Amino acid sequence: MGRIVRIDTLAENAPTAVDLGMTTPGKLFIQNVGSNPIWVGYDRANVLLATSSNYFTIPAGVLLVFDIGPGVGFLNNVSNMWFAAQSGDSSLEVWAATV
């Protein structure tokens, strides 16, 4: 099971929260299917252009895969993470595939 979130238009500099919480172990797939980079942060201010300070960049066309679950992994797997496109609109796919 699990869930899939697809954001067709992740607008430039408009942070969007995505719940990455998982109650059972599994895999987390995060893919930038757009043509512009996406910033990822633990709070909204981290990915907002005016206040950005601590963020991770997912380049266009990149797929990230993580082992994740309660108490497993290094991502913030109990709450939201924030995503924002920079340098133009982009698209994001997130798949939380659980057992």
Side-chain angles (χ1 to χ4, degrees):
M1 284 305 286
R3 65 186 180 288
I4 296 173
V5 175
R6 179 176 170 80
I7 303 171
D8 278 334
T9 303
L10 188 60
E12 180 179 10
N13 200 35
T16 301
V18 176
D19 180 8
L20 299 181
M22 297 174 68
T23 58
T24 60
K27 298 275 188 189
L28 180 66
F29 301 86
I30 301 173
Q31 183 169 351
N32 179 352
V33 293
S35 56
N36 291 299
I38 295 175
W39 291 357
V40 183
Y42 286 109
D43 65 45
R44 186 178 187 277
N46 288 152
V47 297
L48 193 60
L49 194 56
T51 56
S52 61
S53 57
N54 297 307
Y55 58 86
F56 181 83
T57 303
I58 304 174
V62 170
L63 169 67
L64 303 174
V65 181
F66 301 95
D67 290 321
I68 195 167
V72 178
F74 63 90
L75 285 178
N76 190 13
N77 59 1
V78 294
S79 63
N80 294 334
M81 288 192 77
W82 289 84
F83 297 83
Q86 300 300 346
S87 305
D89 294 353
S90 201
S91 299
L92 177 72
E93 295 177 342
V94 177
W95 178 19
T98 58
V99 292

